[in-house]
Amino acid sequence: MDRMIYLAMTGAKYTLEQQAAVANNLANVDTPGFKEALHRLRAVHVQSQALPSRAFVVDATVSARFSEGVLEQTGRALDVAIAGPGWFAVQLPDGGEAYTRNGAFQVDNGGMLRLPNGQLVLGEGGAPITLPPDRTYLVGKDGTINAIDPANGQVEAVGRLRLVNPPVTQLQRGDDGLFRLPAGTPPPPEDPTVSVRGGYLEKSNVDVVDQMVRMIALARQFEMNTKAIQVAEEDDQRATALLTPR
């Protein structure tokens, strides 16, 4: 009974967290470059000499599925998708560096290239990219951004995206959806093998049907855990009644 209570209690807790992760996956099904969050549970024994039977559930695997999403043509000049492995580098508010596959870039009033949620897009050497006004833009396969003067058709290279390819096993997703390397890890060098496609966006790799099925399975799993807690409580009451002197 002791093991049953702990497994059911902690199982219900982490099942709720898994439901939140699945809900977040579904909410980001239309977010360019989004990577599906993965959670796996396992039972472990409590390290205790007094109650060796006690066990509980832990969220053993919190990671992401890094498979590539489908590339969708948008025709917008500053929509950029990475073809194959690689990441865009962006600047965090604290000056740090984070990584994303979301290439839906925008230009603010000051000419700075940003993500839709405001982070500055970094160029070669880790400096933010500034684009000249009143130009049309063309992004090359190597990440070079060319500005075209509509008055005379003159083409000028105005920046190059910082494209990196850190080991995905080291990447950790933050609350803002961006990926980071562990604290103290130096930023990765720029990778010349990373290729991009202008006028395209990488779609999320979330499978809607799979996530809906998983949500239903998690709901049933949560019901089973709560039912197990109720059964343990009823068994405890019966045992107490049998042991109580009359």
Side-chain angles (χ1 to χ4, degrees):
M1 185 186 304
D2 185 70
R3 177 182 297 181
M4 177 180 178
I5 292 174
Y6 266 73
L7 281 175
M9 176 186 65
T10 54
K13 172 187 174 183
Y14 286 111
T15 297
L16 285 176
E17 293 187 8
Q18 283 198 327
Q19 285 180 317
V22 172
N24 185 61
N25 288 339
L26 290 171
N28 286 281
V29 70
D30 292 324
T31 300
F34 181 81
K35 300 304 174 187
E36 175 190 341
L38 300 175
H39 289 256
R40 296 290 183 271
L41 303 182
R42 68 184 179 95
V44 297
H45 289 283
V46 175
Q47 301 300 316
S48 171
Q49 296 180 352
L51 296 168
S53 67
R54 188 168 292 181
F56 63 100
V57 173
V58 295
D59 200 343
T61 306
V62 182
S63 61
R65 185 166 66 90
F66 290 104
S67 62
E68 298 172 28
V70 175
L71 299 190
E72 181 179 47
Q73 187 173 13
T74 65
R76 181 175 173 270
L78 290 179
D79 281 346
V80 187
I82 293 178
W87 298 82
F88 301 112
V90 298
Q91 188 177 82
L92 296 171
D94 62 2
E97 188 171 287
Y99 310 101
T100 181
R101 300 268 299 190
N102 184 353
F105 302 142
Q106 300 175 355
V107 182
D108 65 15
N109 294 333
M112 307 294 288
L113 194 64
R114 297 180 180 269
L115 289 181
N117 53 2
Q119 286 88 355
L120 289 168
V121 179
L122 297 179
E124 282 185 310
I129 296 176
T130 303
L131 301 181
D134 303 323
R135 299 288 193 276
T136 58
Y137 306 104
L138 182 65
V139 182
K141 290 184 178 180
D142 63 350
T144 299
I145 303 176
N146 298 292
I148 305 172
D149 190 336
N152 53 26
Q154 183 177 354
V155 180
E156 177 188 6
V158 294
R160 184 176 178 183
L161 297 168
R162 172 165 158 74
L163 303 173
V164 298
N165 191 20
V168 295
T169 54
Q170 296 183 16
L171 292 176
Q172 303 169 351
R173 193 200 308 266
D175 293 337
D176 53 9
L178 300 174
F179 288 87
R180 298 159 171 79
L181 290 171
T185 304
E190 293 167 15
D191 190 338
T193 66
V194 178
S195 176
V196 303
R197 298 183 67 178
Y200 285 79
L201 284 177
E202 180 186 1
K203 300 182 69 175
S204 164
N205 69 351
V206 174
D207 185 325
V208 176
V209 175
D210 175 73
Q211 294 298 299
M212 291 299 295
V213 171
R214 181 149 184 78
M215 182 66 82
I216 294 171
L218 288 170
R220 292 177 177 174
Q221 183 174 315
F222 181 78
E223 292 175 0
M224 290 172 58
N225 283 317
T226 53
K227 181 62 177 177
I229 294 173
Q230 293 173 0
V231 169
E233 181 182 10
E234 292 170 359
D235 289 348
D236 181 67
Q237 291 174 349
R238 293 190 184 99
T240 299
L242 289 172
L243 296 174
T244 300
R246 297 183 179 179

